[in-house]
Amino acid sequence: RPTQPALTPRIIPGALEISPATIKLHWTCEPPESCQGSWKIRAQCWLVGPLSGPCRRPQHTTSEQPLQGLEGTVTCSSLHPFTSYRVTISGGYPATVLYSQQVHTSETAPDQPKIEPLDPSTKTFRWKQLSPCKGAIVGYQLNITARREYNSSFLEVEKLRVNQSVTKYLLHPWRHGTNYTVTIQGLTAAGLGQESRWDFETNISDTCRREGAWTTKVTFPAEPTAFPVNGTVEVTCTEKPESGPFPAKCTELKDRGAVWDISGVQCL
């Protein structure tokens, strides 16, 4: 009596779960009587790419998984993020492909940006552009914090985000005599990556000098010729009736450094 030919199984794909390092495919085999016996159904995940360029992945194929029963889950783990793989289910000998699908693992947070050597006199913060190997870079987040050791109440914080093509940022204005901390993180759809940090301290502000347009109308004491920030000098007006003396204070503006505050000099 002739033997009935074995039915070829059909793999019906179900839910697909994707993470940066794992692919899970739920499957069902039909018809039920075809999923047993000599077919010996098995699955693998094959690396598709990229196979060249800065994000090149080494050739990699996951080990074969025997599939048993009428349904189950193919699980491929220890995969690269943001990389293409082909999930293949085959059976019989020689192997017949019963199901094949290309899948892209999801993105993960990017690497730590590399800060380039910086001369504080340029007032420009620079970093190297991150590679998109763990996900498409959508931007960078900078956090700029300013503190002063001699003034615990002073604190300035700035947060900003720039697009993926930017690799430098002009830190302006810088305040004199201030400790700065700048952190930068890359950003993908999966979130922010590990931060890089740069700490620096600006020089104490330039002193206020006695030369200037307003100083022609007042008389300074004989000494000194330069005055420190937060220092006050009594000047007298050269025109009566308000001769003074009046206080002129050397102060600091965020965008101009050391300047004179002459609001108390009445003849001006």
Side-chain angles (χ1 to χ4, degrees), residues 120-170:
S121 65
T122 66
K123 299 183 179 179
T124 302
F125 179 70
R126 301 175 186 270
W127 62 92
K128 289 188 179 294
Q129 199 166 38
L130 286 171
S131 75
C133 300
K134 292 186 176 180
I137 306 298
V138 297
Y140 298 91
Q141 179 164 305
L142 287 83
N143 296 326
I144 306 167
T145 304
R147 293 184 175 86
R148 285 177 175 163
E149 293 180 359
Y150 56 86
N151 183 358
S152 59
S153 64
F154 176 83
L155 175 66
E156 290 183 347
V157 178
E158 182 180 6
K159 293 186 177 182
L160 56 110
R161 189 167 288 179
V162 297
N163 68 39
Q164 73 278 5
S165 64
V166 176
T167 57
K168 64 181 180 179
Y169 183 75
L170 178 63

Side-chain angles (χ1 to χ4, degrees), residues 11-31:
I11 299 298
I12 311 299
L16 181 64
E17 300 176 26
I18 302 173
S19 75
T22 305
I23 296 172
K24 290 184 178 182
L25 172 68
H26 298 276
W27 59 274
T28 303
C29 181
E30 294 183 356

Side-chain angles (χ1 to χ4, degrees), residues 18-23 45-52 54-60 78-87 101-108 132-136:
I18 302 173
S19 75
T22 305
I23 296 172
C45 289
W46 304 77
L47 176 71
V48 175
L51 300 177
S52 61
C55 298
R56 177 183 177 276
R57 306 301 192 189
Q59 291 283 0
H60 175 71
S78 300
L79 306 179
H80 296 288
F82 205 49
T83 302
S84 291
Y85 291 87
R86 181 165 294 280
V87 182
Q101 179 182 0
Q102 185 166 318
V103 180
H104 206 70
T105 52
S106 55
E107 302 179 49
T108 188
C133 300
K134 292 186 176 180

